[in-house]
Amino acid sequence: MHEPHRSGDAARERLGFLSEAEIIALSRLGILSPDPGSVLVSGDVRLAEDVVLWPNVILQISAGGRITIGPGTNLFPGTRIVASGGSVTVGAGAEIGEEGGFTLKAGAGETIDIGDGARLLGGGSLTLSNRIGRGAQILGPIRCQNCLLGDGGTYRDPEPDARGGVLKGSGVARGIEVPQGHVIQAFGLFAEAVMRRQSYFHPKG
C-alpha cells in the first residue's frame, strides 16, 4: 500500500524536493497545500506565512539559485518557478497562475522580482531578468523577457490609471517597459503595439 509513497519520496529526494510529509508539515508554519502529493518544493525555497500552494505547483532551485515567496501569495495550479542559479522573489499577496498556470525561470545571474499584489495569469512566462511592480499584471499567454512593469495599485484599485503597469493579450514581450496606469494590449509582438492609459479600457460612467 505505501510502496508508491516510498518510491515517490525517493525520487523527490534525489531531485532535491521535500517529501510529501514535509510538504504537509509546512502547515505548521501557516503554509497551505490542499493537495500536497501533487506539489514539488525544493528544500531551500523560502515560504512565508499564508502562502497557498495549489495542486501541481513546482518550486525548483538548482545551481545555488534562490526562491522567496511572500506572505499571502496564491500560487495557482500549473505554476512553475525555477531558479537555476538565478533569483526569484515574489512579494506579499501576489496571484500567480490562475487560468492556465504561469512559468518563471531565472538562470545564472538573472533576477525576477514580483511586487506585492501583482497578478500573473493565463499561461504566460517570465524568462531572463524582469521586474513586475506592485499591483502590475500580465494577463494572457505572453512570453516576457527583460520587461519592467511599473508599481501602482492592484487590479482592485477603483482608479485604473493608478494601477500597476499591465500587459494583456498574447505573444512575445521583449524589453518592454510599462509605467503606472498604462497598458499594452497585443496579439503578437508587444514592441509593435500601442501603449494606452488603463482608463481607455475601463472608462468611468
Side-chain angles (χ1 to χ4, degrees):
M1 289 280 293
H2 298 291
E3 186 63 31
H5 287 287
R6 283 202 296 270
S7 60
D9 279 343
R12 285 171 178 256
E13 182 178 2
R14 185 170 176 181
L15 294 168
F17 293 117
L18 299 176
S19 68
E20 184 175 345
E22 288 171 323
I23 297 291
I24 294 170
L26 292 175
S27 64
R28 300 182 196 132
L29 304 175
I31 297 155
L32 304 177
S33 181
D35 185 13
S38 72
V39 172
L40 298 175
V41 178
S42 291
D44 292 335
V45 171
R46 300 176 184 175
L47 298 169
E49 191 173 8
D50 294 330
V51 167
V52 183
L53 304 174
W54 291 99
N56 303 313
V57 166
I58 300 174
L59 306 178
Q60 184 174 12
I61 289 175
S62 64
R66 293 189 305 163
I67 296 175
T68 303
I69 311 295
T73 283
N74 266 272
L75 302 180
F76 288 98
T79 297
R80 181 175 178 234
I81 301 178
V82 179
S84 180
S87 175
V88 179
T89 302
V90 180
E95 300 176 24
I96 300 178
E98 199 169 14
E99 300 180 18
F102 215 91
T103 299
L104 290 71
K105 296 178 70 174
E110 297 167 356
T111 300
I112 296 176
D113 187 11
I114 311 297
D116 296 349
R119 185 166 69 144
L120 315 178
L121 60 79
S125 66
L126 295 173
T127 58
L128 305 180
S129 290
N130 299 267
R131 184 179 184 278
I132 310 305
R134 287 182 292 101
Q137 301 178 79
I138 299 174
L139 309 175
I142 304 168
R143 293 171 53 201
C144 299
Q145 301 172 346
N146 293 328
C147 291
L148 172 60
L149 304 187
D151 293 326
T154 72
Y155 67 95
R156 296 183 179 90
D157 193 308
E159 178 52 64
D161 292 343
R163 297 172 186 169
V166 174
L167 296 174
K168 62 188 295 187
S170 63
V172 178
R174 293 192 182 97
I176 300 296
E177 182 172 346
V178 182
Q180 179 183 22
H182 289 75
V183 55
I184 298 177
Q185 181 179 43
F187 300 93
L189 294 177
F190 279 73
E192 298 176 354
V194 176
M195 186 178 340
R196 293 185 169 96
R197 287 275 186 181
Q198 291 186 38
S199 53
Y200 174 88
F201 293 96
H202 305 281
K204 292 185 176 181

